[in-house]
Amino acid sequence: MLQGFREGAGRWITIAVLGLIAISFIFWGIDFTTLGTTFAAKVNGQEVSLIDFEREVQNQQSQYQELYRAELTDELRGELRRNVLERLIRQQALLDRIRTSGYQISDDRLTASIRTIPAFQVDGEFSIDLYRSQLLNQGLSPSGFESLQREQLELLELQQGILNSSFYMPNEFRRYLEVFNQRREIAYALFEVDTLLEKIFVNEADIEAHYALNEDLYLSEESVDLQYIEVLGSAIAEEVEYSTETLEAYYEEEKYRFQTEEQRKARHILFANGDDAELEIRAQMALMRIEAGEDFLKLADELSDDVGTNNQGGDLGWLGKGALEGPFEDALFIMEVGDTQGPIKTDFGYHVIRLDDIVFGDVQPFEAAKEELAVDYQNREAEELFYSLATELADLSFAAFDELETVSTQMNLPLKEVSNFKRSENASVFSFSEPVLQAAFSREVLELGENSALVELADDHVLILRVDAHYPSVQQPYEEVRAEIEEELARVQAEAEAFERVTSLTTLLREGGEGQVFTEEQNGNWRETVWVERTTTEIPTEILAASFRLEKPRGTRIFEHVAMTNGDQALLVLSTVEAGQPESVPREQRDQRLAQVAQQTGMYEFSGYASELRETATVRIPEEIFDPAFY
Amino acid sequence: MDEFLSEKEQLEGIRQWWRDNGWHLVGGITLGAAVLVGWNQWTAYEQRQAESAATLYQELRAAAIDDFDNEVADHLERLRINYASTPYADQGGLLMARVYLENNNIQLASDELRYVMERSADAELALVARLRLARVLTYEEAYQEALALLDIDAGMFSGRYNEVRGDIHVALGNPDNARLAYAQALTAGDSEMIDRVLVQMKLDDLPAVISPDPEINP
C-alpha cells in the first residue's frame, strides 16, 4: 500500500487515510481495555462498566445480609445480579438518549445545584473545604462528581419535562371519581363453621380410616440435644481493667479526637487562564484595586477564573489545615482577620486571598475526657480479646473434633446445653437462630457427630456447637393425634354443610323467597340490604372485595358464593350499583385529587418512555456476567 | 535503506522521498487538523445551542406557571424557530399543550400535541404526545379519530394505549370491546406502566355480559 502512496496513484487517498489515522488517534488513542471483558453490558454501543456493576452488586448484597443476617443462595445471587444489571442498562439507555437528544445543563446551573446540596454546607452555606473532603471520602474527584451530577440533572430535565406537562382531562376525572367513589347495594348471609361445628359428630371409624390413609402427615418433628460454648463480646467489655496510667497513654494516642481544629473563613480571586507572568501581573493589579478601596466580592465576580466561587464573591467557606495547597495555607494561617494578601502561587494559578473570620481550635483536657475514654478503652480491648478468644475457641474445637468438654475446661468457659431443639422453635433459645439451625442440622454435625465450625450470631457473639443426641422424626401414635384429626374432619364437614346452605339459599332467593327466615333457621347470620363504599370497614373484607368485583347487574340481582379465608361460607346479593357523585366531593379535596392523578399519569408515561427505550436499545451482555464461576 | 549506499546517496534518497511524498503528508495532517477544528467548533456550537434552548425552556416554564399570556406562546415560537434540533422544542410543545388545556383552548392544545407527535425526533416522546392527543380528542368526542391514533404498535406503552381505548369504547357504549381492551391493558407486560387498580375498577364497572335470566346465572 505504501508503494502505491509513493507512486502518487492515490494521492488523495493517501491524504484522506493519513488524515483519518490522525483523527482517530487524537480522539480515541489506543484503548487496550477492550481486550477482555471490562464491561458488564453494552447498551447502544456504550459500556456499563464492570466496576460500577460489581460495586452496586456488592452494596445490594451487604444490604441484604444486614437485613436478613444470612448469606445469599446462589439462586438469589443470580437474581440480584440480573436485577442490578437490568437497572443499570435502563439507566444507560436513558443516558444515551439524553446525550443524543441534546439535553444540556450549563456550568452555571450545575454549580448552583451543587451549592445547594446540604451535605456540602456548613451553617447553610456552601463550603468548598467540606465539598472536597466529602468527595474524598467517597473516592470521587470533583470533575468525576460534577459529571455524574450533570448526568443526573439532565435526566431530571427529561423526566420533569414529561411530568410537568402531563394533564388529566375533565371527562377522565369525572369517570375516575365515578368508579372510585362508587357505592353498591348488597345483602349477604354468612354461615360460620364454628356455629355448625357444635352439631357435627364424627365417626370413630372415619377418624381411624383417615389416620390409616394419611400416616405420613402425622410425624413428630425431628429434634436434637445440643451442647455449645459461646463467646459474648458485651460480657467481656465490662471486665476489662484499666489504670489511670493506661488511660493517660490512651488519651495521648487518641488526642486528635478531643481537639477541634482551627478553621479559617476565606475568600479568593483566582487567576488561572494565561501564562504565569501575565497572571501574576493581573493578580497584582487586582490587589492594588482592593487596596484602593474596591469591593473584594465584586472583583471576584469580575475577575476570578474559579467558576465554582466567582458568583459567590470568591467565598471558599471554612477551611481547616490540610484542606488546601501548601503556599495558600501557609499564607492563610498567618493572616489577621480582614487582611488581603497576594499574589500567591499554587498549582491552580495565582490567588488573591482575604481572611474573613477565625474559629480557634480547642482541646478537651484529660479529666473531662476520662469517662468517655474508659468506655472506649474497654471496648477496644474487649474487641481484641473477643477475636483472640473466638479464634482460640475455633482452633481448640477443631482439634477436639467430636467433643467439647475438654475445650470447655481448657478455656474455662461453661459448656451449655439445650435439649429437644427443633427447627420450628426458632425464636426462643438463641438471639438469632438461623445460623445455629444451619450448623446443627448440617451433615457434619448431625450425622458425623463433629464439632461445628464457628457460628456467628452477631458481630460480637459466636459459638461452637455439637449434637449430643438426635431424635429423628417418627410416626405419632393414634391416641396422640386422634383429637387433632377429629377436629379437622369436623371442620371439613361443617364447611361442606355451610356451602350446602349457601346453595339452598341461592335457589330460594332466585325463586323469589325471603332470605332472612331461612338463614336464621339454618344457624346463619343475615345482613339486610346495605350500601357499601370501597372504604367501608364494617363489612368482612372478603365480602366487600367480592361486592366490587362483580359486574353491574342488569335489572336483576346477582348472587355470588363467597368463601371466607377462615372456612366460613357466604352468599352475597348485589342489587344496585351507583356511580360516585363528583359534585359531592368537597372542592378542595377534589382539586388535590386531580393534581395527584395528573402527576401520576405523567409518571406512568415516563415509566413507559424508559421501558420502551430499554426494549428498543441494542444490548449486549457478556456471558461471563451470569456465569457463577466468573463471580 | 541499503547499507552499501554512501551517506550522500542516503541523504539524497531521503530528499527524493520527501519530494515525492512530503506534500501528501503535510496535506494529510492539515486535513486532519482542519476536520478536528471543525468538529470541535461544531460540538461547541451544538452545546451553546442546547444551553440557550434550555434557558429559553426554563423561561417558558416559569412564565407558564406565573400567568398565561401571549408572551408564553412567543417563547415557544422562538424555541421552534431557533432551536428546532434540540429536545427543548418538543418539551416546550408538550408544556404549552397543558397550558392551553388549562385555559380551555382545546384546539391549540391539540395542535401542539400533533406537532410533537408528527415532528419529534424522539420516537418515544412522539408516542407520549400521540397518547395525549388521543385523550384530548376523546374529550372532544372525536372517538373514531382517537381510536385511529391509538391503532399502532405502541410497544411498552400498549398498556396505557389499551386503557384509553377501553375508555373510548365505554363512551361509545361498547362494553364488550371495552372489556377486551381493559383486559389487554391488565395483561400487557410491565405493571409500572398503568394504574392497575384503576383499570380493574373500570373493568368491574362494566355491565354484566351474562344473560339476565336468573336460571342461567350461576
Side-chain angles (χ1 to χ4, degrees):
Chain A
M1 195 163 85
L2 282 171
Q3 189 64 27
F5 284 176
R6 196 177 320 156
E7 279 158 9
R11 172 174 314 190
W12 288 106
I13 298 177
T14 317
I15 293 171
V17 168
L18 286 174
L20 283 175
I21 291 172
I23 290 168
S24 68
F25 268 87
I26 290 164
F27 272 105
W28 293 285
I30 303 174
D31 188 2
F32 290 104
T33 55
T34 49
L35 315 168
T37 309
T38 55
F39 59 91
K42 265 193 183 171
V43 182
N44 297 335
Q46 300 278 337
E47 290 183 6
V48 172
S49 96
L50 195 60
I51 297 170
D52 288 349
F53 169 63
E54 292 293 352
R55 188 190 292 140
E56 191 51 32
V57 167
Q58 267 306 317
N59 283 346
Q60 298 265 327
Q61 260 179 30
S62 36
Q63 268 177 27
Y64 177 92
Q65 281 158 355
E66 199 113 305
L67 203 60
Y68 298 104
R69 312 290 300 270
E71 287 292 317
L72 274 100
T73 62
D74 281 354
E75 199 182 326
L76 272 177
R77 192 185 309 254
E79 175 91 17
L80 184 141
R81 291 175 74 82
R82 244 176 282 276
N83 288 344
V84 168
L85 190 60
E86 190 51 41
R87 205 153 38 77
L88 292 178
I89 289 173
R90 238 174 118 104
Q91 171 95 352
Q92 184 60 48
L94 274 168
L95 288 176
D96 182 48
R97 167 54 53 87
I98 277 158
R99 230 179 327 243
T100 51
S101 267
Y103 287 91
Q104 189 81 41
I105 297 291
S106 65
D107 289 345
D108 285 350
R109 282 174 72 193
L110 177 65
T111 317
S113 97
I114 290 177
R115 296 184 72 94
T116 59
I117 296 175
F120 305 140
Q121 289 181 339
V122 181
D123 297 333
E125 235 183 297
F126 178 74
S127 150
I128 188 105
D129 197 16
L130 189 61
Y131 175 60
R132 291 200 176 121
S133 67
Q134 289 280 28
L135 291 190
L136 211 61
N137 281 341
Q138 303 283 321
L140 284 165
S141 67
S143 64
F145 174 76
E146 280 150 25
S147 89
L148 280 178
Q149 182 71 11
R150 192 189 294 270
E151 277 178 355
Q152 287 311 310
L153 290 174
E154 284 167 357
L155 264 182
L156 208 62
E157 189 118 298
L158 165 64
Q159 186 180 10
Q160 291 297 326
I162 293 180
L163 290 187
N164 287 333
S165 61
S166 78
F167 54 79
Y168 218 62
M169 300 303 292
N171 60 321
E172 293 172 321
F173 190 52
R174 164 163 282 275
R175 177 96 194 287
Y176 172 87
L177 289 176
E178 278 172 3
V179 297
F180 217 94
N181 295 347
Q182 190 176 74
R183 302 199 312 149
R184 294 188 170 212
E185 192 186 38
I186 61 165
Y188 65 91
L190 181 64
F191 298 98
E192 290 173 344
V193 167
D194 283 344
T195 318
L196 299 177
L197 218 45
E198 289 163 16
K199 296 195 175 110
I200 281 169
F201 174 74
V202 185
N203 286 325
E204 193 67 27
D206 288 345
I207 304 178
E208 276 169 21
H210 182 88
Y211 179 73
L213 269 172
N214 298 290
E215 276 184 336
D216 51 340
L217 290 178
Y218 302 101
L219 299 175
S220 69
E221 196 186 345
E222 175 185 28
S223 72
V224 288
D225 290 348
L226 288 182
Q227 291 184 330
Y228 65 95
I229 301 175
E230 64 184 343
V231 181
L232 200 56
S234 55
I236 299 174
E238 289 162 19
E239 286 171 22
V240 173
E241 290 178 5
Y242 54 85
S243 63
T244 310
E245 288 76 38
T246 46
L247 284 191
E248 273 169 0
Y250 187 52
Y251 175 74
E252 287 304 318
E253 259 176 63
E254 301 280 304
K255 206 162 184 175
Y256 69 93
R257 284 168 45 198
F258 301 101
Q259 303 178 336
T260 47
E261 290 281 331
E262 180 177 329
Q263 298 268 328
R264 292 184 169 224
K265 192 166 171 5
R267 294 176 187 278
H268 80 154
I269 301 173
L270 176 67
F271 299 90
N273 304 332
D275 66 59
D276 265 16
E278 180 205 332
L279 291 177
E280 191 169 2
I281 292 166
R282 281 170 53 200
Q284 284 288 5
M285 290 183 46
L287 193 64
M288 281 160 63
R289 285 171 67 180
I290 292 160
E291 278 161 2
E294 282 195 56
D295 183 23
F296 190 98
L297 278 64
K298 276 187 192 142
L299 281 181
D301 191 22
E302 182 191 329
L303 302 173
S304 179
D305 292 332
D306 182 358
V307 289
T309 65
N310 53 9
N311 289 342
Q312 277 72 33
D315 189 5
L316 290 167
W318 289 97
L319 303 165
K321 278 198 171 155
L324 292 167
E325 271 188 65
F328 192 105
E329 184 174 302
D330 293 346
L332 184 65
F333 276 83
I334 53 172
M335 286 164 70
E336 306 271 332
V337 173
D339 277 2
T340 304
Q341 270 199 21
I344 289 148
K345 187 177 183 322
T346 70
D347 287 351
F348 294 105
Y350 284 87
H351 305 257
V352 174
I353 316 174
R354 192 174 90 182
L355 176 62
D356 280 359
D357 202 356
I358 300 179
V359 177
F360 288 103
D362 187 20
V363 183
Q364 196 179 356
F366 174 70
E367 283 307 317
K370 200 169 158 188
E371 274 178 34
E372 191 185 334
L373 273 173
V375 174
D376 287 358
Y377 178 77
Q378 281 185 317
N379 283 338
R380 189 185 70 163
E381 293 296 303
E383 200 173 309
E384 278 172 23
L385 197 58
F386 172 77
Y387 282 111
S388 72
L389 278 176
T391 318
E392 192 185 353
L393 176 63
D395 290 346
L396 289 177
S397 312
F398 183 73
F401 191 62
D402 61 358
E403 53 85 23
L404 287 172
E405 266 150 44
T406 56
V407 181
S408 161
T409 333
Q410 263 174 295
M411 293 189 67
N412 200 19
L413 287 171
L415 182 63
K416 299 182 178 173
E417 294 187 349
V418 185
S419 45
N420 263 316
F421 184 68
K422 296 183 184 114
R423 281 197 172 89
S424 60
E425 280 170 15
N426 277 346
S428 51
V429 193
F430 297 100
S431 57
F432 175 44
S433 46
E434 191 50 41
V436 178
L437 280 172
Q438 265 178 26
F441 289 94
S442 68
R443 183 170 166 273
E444 290 78 14
V445 175
L446 189 68
E447 291 170 27
L448 308 180
E450 294 171 15
N451 294 337
S452 74
L454 205 62
V455 179
E456 196 180 329
L457 285 83
D459 286 344
D460 64 345
H461 189 189
V462 294
L463 59 80
I464 295 274
L465 58 81
R466 64 178 292 272
V467 166
D468 198 33
H470 177 207
Y471 311 104
S473 160
V474 290
Q475 180 75 44
Q476 285 174 291
Y478 179 70
E479 300 70 43
E480 260 179 46
V481 293
R482 194 198 155 281
E484 191 186 319
I485 297 175
E486 186 181 11
E487 159 91 20
E488 218 176 287
L489 293 181
R491 289 203 84 86
V492 172
Q493 215 168 311
E495 273 179 40
E497 282 188 20
F499 180 67
E500 236 167 74
R501 281 157 214 224
V502 166
T503 318
S504 325
L505 180 60
T506 311
T507 318
L508 179 75
L509 290 172
R510 285 213 170 115
E511 286 163 357
E514 206 276 319
Q516 182 158 12
V517 176
F518 175 85
T519 306
E520 279 163 9
E521 269 171 21
Q522 301 289 327
N523 299 307
N525 302 316
W526 176 261
R527 177 69 200 252
E528 200 43 76
T529 320
V530 57
W531 280 102
V532 290
E533 293 170 16
R534 291 183 197 276
T535 50
T536 303
T537 49
E538 43 136 1
I539 306 283
T541 47
E542 294 97 327
I543 293 181
L544 189 70
S547 309
F548 280 97
R549 287 304 299 269
L550 286 175
E551 287 173 324
K552 273 186 195 168
R554 294 194 196 186
T556 49
R557 298 178 291 175
I558 292 181
F559 303 101
E560 177 85 354
H561 162 233
V562 182
M564 315 292 280
T565 41
N566 66 357
D568 295 350
Q569 307 292 318
L571 174 67
L572 167 67
V573 185
L574 172 65
S575 38
T576 325
V577 172
E578 191 186 82
Q581 307 287 320
E583 293 74 21
S584 70
V585 182
R587 174 95 210 183
E588 199 176 308
Q589 223 177 0
R590 210 164 33 176
D591 289 348
Q592 214 176 356
R593 209 66 209 265
L594 178 59
Q596 227 171 40
V597 285
Q599 175 87 358
Q600 236 170 42
T601 311
M603 269 172 352
Y604 289 122
E605 283 166 343
F606 177 71
S607 159
Y609 183 96
S611 305
E612 181 63 9
L613 269 192
R614 160 70 183 90
E615 280 304 300
T616 50
T618 317
V619 177
R620 217 189 103 211
I621 303 170
E623 282 168 29
E624 302 95 293
I625 295 293
F626 295 127
D627 180 359
F630 182 71
Y631 56 88
Chain B
M1 285 295 150
D2 196 326
E3 58 183 292
F4 297 108
L5 293 177
S6 72
E7 206 173 296
K8 199 176 167 197
E9 281 166 326
Q10 282 186 17
L11 208 62
E12 188 49 41
I14 293 171
R15 282 199 182 121
Q16 185 57 42
W17 186 89
W18 180 248
R19 274 196 292 276
D20 290 347
N21 298 294
W23 286 113
H24 302 172
L25 199 64
V26 170
I29 290 170
T30 312
L31 182 70
V35 170
L36 184 65
V37 168
W39 176 259
N40 276 343
Q41 286 194 345
W42 171 248
T43 50
Y45 166 76
E46 277 207 316
Q47 183 172 334
R48 275 198 310 277
Q49 279 287 96
E51 280 180 12
S52 318
T55 310
L56 196 53
Y57 174 67
Q58 293 292 326
E59 286 170 20
L60 169 63
R61 207 151 90 175
I65 292 167
D66 278 357
D67 215 354
F68 172 76
D69 52 31
N70 289 334
E71 197 193 328
V72 189
D74 190 52
H75 273 95
L76 179 61
E77 204 53 37
R78 276 164 55 208
L79 266 176
R80 287 244 168 92
I81 292 169
N82 299 322
Y83 306 104
S85 67
T86 72
Y88 295 102
D90 296 335
Q91 291 285 9
L94 291 180
L95 186 61
M96 272 313 286
R98 194 195 105 180
V99 174
Y100 284 134
L101 284 177
E102 277 166 5
N103 290 279
N104 233 349
N105 198 333
I106 310 296
Q107 186 53 49
L108 285 180
S110 309
D111 291 349
E112 295 303 345
L113 289 171
R114 196 180 298 278
Y115 191 98
V116 176
M117 175 184 101
E118 284 170 358
R119 312 244 188 135
S120 177
D122 182 337
E124 283 74 25
L125 209 60
L127 283 174
V128 172
R130 178 181 285 265
L131 178 66
R132 291 181 179 178
L133 178 58
R135 289 166 52 211
V136 173
L137 290 172
T138 306
Y139 172 70
E140 291 271 86
E141 300 184 1
Y143 299 127
Q144 295 310 328
E145 202 185 331
L147 280 175
L149 274 184
L150 294 173
D151 195 16
I152 55 153
D153 176 11
M156 298 302 278
F157 288 99
S158 60
R160 276 289 285 151
Y161 272 59
N162 274 316
E163 184 185 348
V164 176
R165 201 174 282 146
D167 293 346
I168 297 173
H169 283 303
V170 168
L172 281 169
N174 288 331
D176 292 347
N177 289 348
R179 197 185 322 277
L180 188 67
Y182 287 142
Q184 276 170 348
L186 286 172
T187 47
D190 218 313
S191 57
E192 288 169 34
M193 260 67 82
I194 55 165
D195 184 343
R196 300 188 73 82
V197 177
L198 180 62
V199 175
Q200 185 68 51
M201 283 179 190
K202 288 177 181 172
L203 185 59
D204 296 339
D205 186 50
L206 296 174
V209 238
I210 34 180
S211 153
D213 184 347
E215 292 305 317
I216 303 170
N217 204 344

